[in-house]
Amino acid sequence: MHHPTPTTGRTHRVAGRAARAVATLLVAAAGATLLVSCGSDDDGASSTPSFTDRPSPPDTASFTGAPPSAIASSASAAVESARASASSAAASASAREASRKASIGAEVERSRQAAEDALKGVQGRGNALGEVAMTGLPRAETKGRLAVVVSITNKTADAASYAAQVDFLDSSGKVVETQFVGAEDLAPGKRAQPVVTSREPAEPALTPRLTKAQRY
């Protein structure tokens, strides 16, 4: 039987270590080759990412919200709504003004009728000529029409109502038009100044006359 000598054992151990070292070097070399291959393209150029100066267009499919045309349409609708509201407000204001004038006209007519009724059956010129006066208005302020201010002052100690008759005479002294005006429940010392305007044309010129004034 052959027995290995010490020298032979040492030789085998040295050979084993050398083989393992060679294997390690081969693995390291293979890893380096792999890294170089990953870092280069076919032309050997660097794989560093490249950039372009021209950006790519956005993906409009991901956008949300209304398109410009819808926004413009919405703005136009808002403008039209505002115009309609303004027109409605103007119409409402016009209607209120018309109603106010109609109310004033109705009150003037009621007062006129009350004065006419109060003067029915009054003999002479009435009992209140000293409390009623008359002043003409410039035609420039009345669009050329003949108009007078009838000033009624309660000179008594108690509240009273007044009625006055104003006649418009032509150049011959003939009564062409008659109007009535008055003031109701006038407090002591207070004054009312209703205006009487002739409905006759500016020409021929007429002359106003305070014909009657009655306190009742």
Side-chain angles (χ1 to χ4, degrees), residues 130-216:
E131 298 172 74
V132 180
M134 195 169 59
T135 305
L137 286 174
R139 289 181 182 267
E141 298 179 7
T142 62
K143 298 181 180 180
R145 308 298 294 272
L146 177 59
V148 294
V149 178
V150 180
S151 295
I152 304 171
T153 304
N154 184 356
K155 298 180 180 180
T156 71
D158 301 313
S161 296
Y162 293 82
Q165 176 183 327
V166 177
D167 291 330
F168 293 92
L169 291 68
D170 62 15
S171 58
S172 67
K174 178 184 177 181
V175 176
V176 176
E177 180 183 3
T178 297
Q179 290 200 34
F180 301 92
V181 70
E184 298 176 272
D185 299 323
L186 194 61
K190 296 299 181 179
R191 175 180 295 178
Q193 293 183 302
V195 176
V196 174
T197 302
S198 172
R199 292 184 291 269
E200 295 295 318
E203 297 294 338
L206 301 177
T207 301
R209 181 185 71 188
L210 179 60
T211 301
K212 290 182 180 182
Q214 180 74 14
R215 181 179 61 253
Y216 65 97

Side-chain angles (χ1 to χ4, degrees), residues 91-103:
S92 179
S94 178
R96 287 196 299 270
E97 179 62 13
S99 178
R100 185 186 70 83
K101 289 182 178 180
S103 178

